[in-house]
Amino acid sequence: MDSRQSLIETLQRHAPKGYPMATSVPGIVLFGIALISIAWSLVYRFRLAYSTTLRKVPGAWHAKFSGLALKANDVAGSRWYYVQALHKKYGPIVRIAPHEVAISDPKTVSKVHALGTDFRKRQQPGTPFNIFSISDPKAHRLRQRFYAKAFSDETLKSSTEPAVRELVQIAVAGIKRDATENNGHVADVYKWCMLFGSDVAFQVIYGNANTDGLMAKNKSTDEVIMGAYLQRMNAWVNFCFPLFLLGRWLSPFSSYLHNIFRVEGRYADFWQEGQRQRDIAARTTFVKNSRYSKNDGVFAVSDEVKLSDMDIAHDITTFLGAGGEPVGASLIFLIWQILKMPHLQQELEAEVAELTEPVTDATTAPLPILNAVILETLRLYGGGVTQLPRYAPVATNLGGYIIPPGTAVTTHTGALHRNPSAWYDPET
C-alpha cells in the first residue's frame, strides 16, 4: 500500500500544474492505454506515409497520413472538383488517401479497366449486390449475357427508339405547359430532363414508360436522385459517425437534413416495392425469351445463362438509378452549354431543321454539329461521374509508380476527359 501511495505522490509531484492527475490504479492504466494508443496511431500513420512505394506518388502532404480531406469532400458533394484540382496540380497519377490513388492518364486507365485485367472491384459499403458491384468476372459475364439482347443495338433501335420519341414529345409538352401556366412563364427544365432520363431507363426495362413512367405519374425529381441522397448519407457515416448520429437526431427539424440522414427510410420503401421479385422480374423486357422455373424462381435464357428473380430485382434498381440520373444530368448540361453560345445554337437549329419525320438515330448520324455537341457534352459533363475504384491484385507499375497490392486505384472521368496530354484545349 505504501509503494502504491508513493508512486501516486511521485506522479502528482511531477505532473504539470493545472492538469488533473489520476489518483487510482485504474486511472493510471487508462492513461497509459491512451498514451500507447496515440503512439501506435502515430507510428501507424507514419508507416502508411513512408514505408510503402506509394510514398513516391505525388499528392497533398496530408493524403499520406489520412483520407479525411477526401471524405470531407465526399460529404460536401465536391469530390469531383477536389480530385480534378489535385490532378491539375500534381499530374495524371496522384495519391488522394493512404491506400488510394487517382488516375487520369488514358494508357493507365486502359490498363486498369481493360477486358481481362487483374484489377478487381470490391463490394463498397452501403451498396447492394448487383451487376455493378460483382467482383467475380465469371459471374459478371453471366449477367452480361443474360441482358445482352435487351441492350443490343438492334433491340434498342427497333423497340426503344419509337418509345423514346414519344417520351420526348411528353417532356416538350410538359415544358411548354409549365411555361404557359406558371407565373413569369418559367418552366423547370431541370425537372423535365431528369424525369425524362429516368423514363428512358424505365422504358428499356419495362417497355411502358409512356403510361407508367415518372412523367406520366407527375412524380418529383427526388424519385430520380434518391441514390445520390443514399450516397451522401453513406459519406457521412464514413466521415464521422458521431456527426452522422447528430444529423439523424436533428433530421426531423429540417427537410434538407432529413433527405440526407433519413433517406434510407424512403429508399427502403422503394426497395420493398422492388422486392416483389417474381412480379417485378416477370414484367421486365429482359425475360421475354426466357424460361421460368417456379420451383427455384429462376429465369433461364439457356442452360448456362440464368438468373433468379432476386438477382433481376437487384439489377433493376441499379439500372433505374444508373440509367436515369446520368441521362437527365447530361441533357441538362447540353441545353445549358448551347444556350450559353447563341451562334452555336443558331447553327445547330439550322442543321436539325433539315430533318424530316420520323427523326431516328440513322437520320441524325450524319449531322456533324449535333453529334459534336453531344460528344463534347458527354466528355465535359457526362452524368456518370462516380469514381470507379479497382484494387491492385499484386504490386503493379502504373505510370512509373509501383502500386502495392490492395491499393484502390480510382478513375474520375472528369479528370480523364480534361487531361491536357490527351485533349487539345480540354476545358472548352
Side-chain angles (χ1 to χ4, degrees):
M1 191 71 179
D2 292 339
S3 61
R4 173 191 168 190
Q5 187 64 33
S6 175
L7 173 62
I8 293 174
E9 289 175 357
T10 302
L11 291 172
Q12 289 178 328
R13 189 166 54 252
H14 291 88
K17 292 184 178 181
Y19 285 84
M21 184 63 207
T23 57
S24 66
V25 171
I28 295 173
V29 170
L30 290 175
F31 183 69
I33 292 174
L35 286 179
I36 293 173
S37 298
I38 292 172
W40 181 87
S41 178
L42 290 174
V43 171
Y44 175 73
R45 293 293 173 183
F46 272 91
R47 177 179 171 276
L48 282 180
Y50 298 111
S51 68
T52 74
T53 53
L54 288 180
R55 67 184 183 276
K56 298 181 179 180
V57 179
W61 66 267
H62 51 78
K64 295 182 175 68
F65 302 96
S66 170
L68 191 62
L70 187 66
K71 293 178 180 179
N73 280 276
D74 280 334
V75 166
S78 56
R79 179 184 178 119
W80 188 94
Y81 302 99
Y82 174 69
V83 175
Q84 174 67 8
L86 290 176
H87 277 299
K88 284 185 176 181
K89 185 174 182 179
Y90 296 106
I93 300 181
V94 57
R95 190 177 187 178
I96 59 177
H99 295 290
E100 185 171 356
V101 298
I103 58 175
S104 65
D105 174 65
K107 290 183 179 179
T108 306
V109 171
S110 296
K111 184 174 182 178
V112 172
H113 295 278
L115 291 175
T117 180
D118 290 329
F119 285 79
R120 292 287 182 266
K121 293 183 285 186
R122 284 183 186 172
Q123 186 85 14
Q124 300 300 309
T127 59
F129 185 78
N130 54 50
I131 190 170
F132 290 117
S133 63
I134 293 175
S135 58
D136 179 25
K138 184 176 180 181
H140 190 268
R141 282 194 296 271
L142 177 68
R143 268 175 154 84
Q144 284 183 314
R145 291 172 62 188
F146 187 89
Y147 299 118
K149 183 172 179 59
F151 288 110
S152 69
D153 193 56
E154 178 184 359
T155 301
L156 292 176
K157 287 182 178 180
S158 62
S159 61
T160 307
E161 190 175 70
V164 170
R165 285 200 299 270
E166 186 175 350
L167 293 175
V168 169
Q169 294 172 354
I170 294 174
V172 171
I175 294 172
K176 288 181 177 179
R177 184 174 60 252
D178 287 356
T180 302
E181 299 175 356
N182 292 346
N183 292 332
H185 301 290
V186 175
D188 188 349
V189 179
Y190 167 81
K191 178 192 78 173
W192 287 104
C193 285
M194 296 302 286
L195 296 181
F196 169 79
S198 180
D199 279 359
V200 169
F202 192 96
Q203 177 64 35
V204 174
I205 295 169
Y206 294 110
N208 58 342
N210 59 333
T211 57
D212 291 336
L214 297 184
M215 290 191 294
K217 293 184 176 181
N218 198 27
K219 295 287 187 176
S220 71
T221 54
D222 283 348
E223 301 285 338
V224 184
I225 61 175
M226 198 177 298
Y229 284 134
L230 188 63
Q231 286 183 342
R232 182 71 64 87
M233 187 182 74
N234 289 335
W236 271 104
V237 173
N238 294 327
F239 175 65
C240 182
F241 191 68
L243 284 180
F244 165 74
L245 294 178
L246 177 63
R248 287 178 72 87
W249 182 74
L250 294 173
S251 61
F253 307 104
S254 167
S255 59
Y256 174 76
L257 292 177
H258 191 276
N259 281 338
I260 295 176
F261 295 104
R262 291 285 179 181
V263 69
E264 85 284 356
R266 298 173 59 187
Y267 198 83
D269 293 339
F270 175 73
W271 182 245
Q272 185 177 4
E273 181 181 352
Q275 289 306 291
R276 294 181 283 110
Q277 292 92 10
R278 190 162 290 117
D279 175 55
I280 293 292
R283 289 168 46 205
T284 67
T285 59
F286 306 135
V287 300
K288 283 185 176 179
N289 298 314
S290 65
R291 304 185 308 273
Y292 179 66
S293 171
K294 290 184 179 181
N295 294 331
D296 51 10
V298 168
F299 292 89
V301 176
S302 66
D303 292 339
E304 299 82 17
V305 181
K306 56 183 71 175
L307 288 179
S308 71
D309 40 24
M310 173 75 81
D311 292 333
I312 297 173
H314 284 185
D315 289 341
I316 287 170
T317 307
T318 306
F319 289 147
L320 286 173
E325 183 184 357
V327 172
S330 298
L331 188 56
I332 282 290
F333 276 113
L334 186 149
I335 295 172
W336 170 62
Q337 282 292 95
I338 292 174
L339 293 178
K340 283 174 57 179
M341 295 178 279
H343 65 285
L344 176 61
Q345 181 181 352
Q346 293 176 1
E347 293 176 1
L348 181 60
E349 289 176 349
E351 184 178 72
V352 298
E354 301 296 325
L355 294 172
T356 58
E357 293 290 345
V359 177
T360 66
D361 181 68
T363 60
T364 57
L367 303 184
I369 298 176
L370 174 63
N371 285 283
V373 167
I374 293 173
L375 292 175
E376 276 296 276
T377 299
L378 292 176
R379 180 179 72 84
L380 290 171
Y381 306 104
V385 296
T386 303
Q387 61 269 17
L388 304 171
R390 299 293 185 270
Y391 295 83
V394 295
T396 307
N397 188 320
L398 292 180
Y401 300 100
I402 302 301
I403 306 301
T407 303
V409 181
T410 305
T411 303
H412 289 73
T413 54
L416 173 64
H417 294 164
R418 286 172 168 78
N419 187 331
S421 65
W423 305 91
Y424 173 75
D425 196 9
E427 298 289 343
T428 59

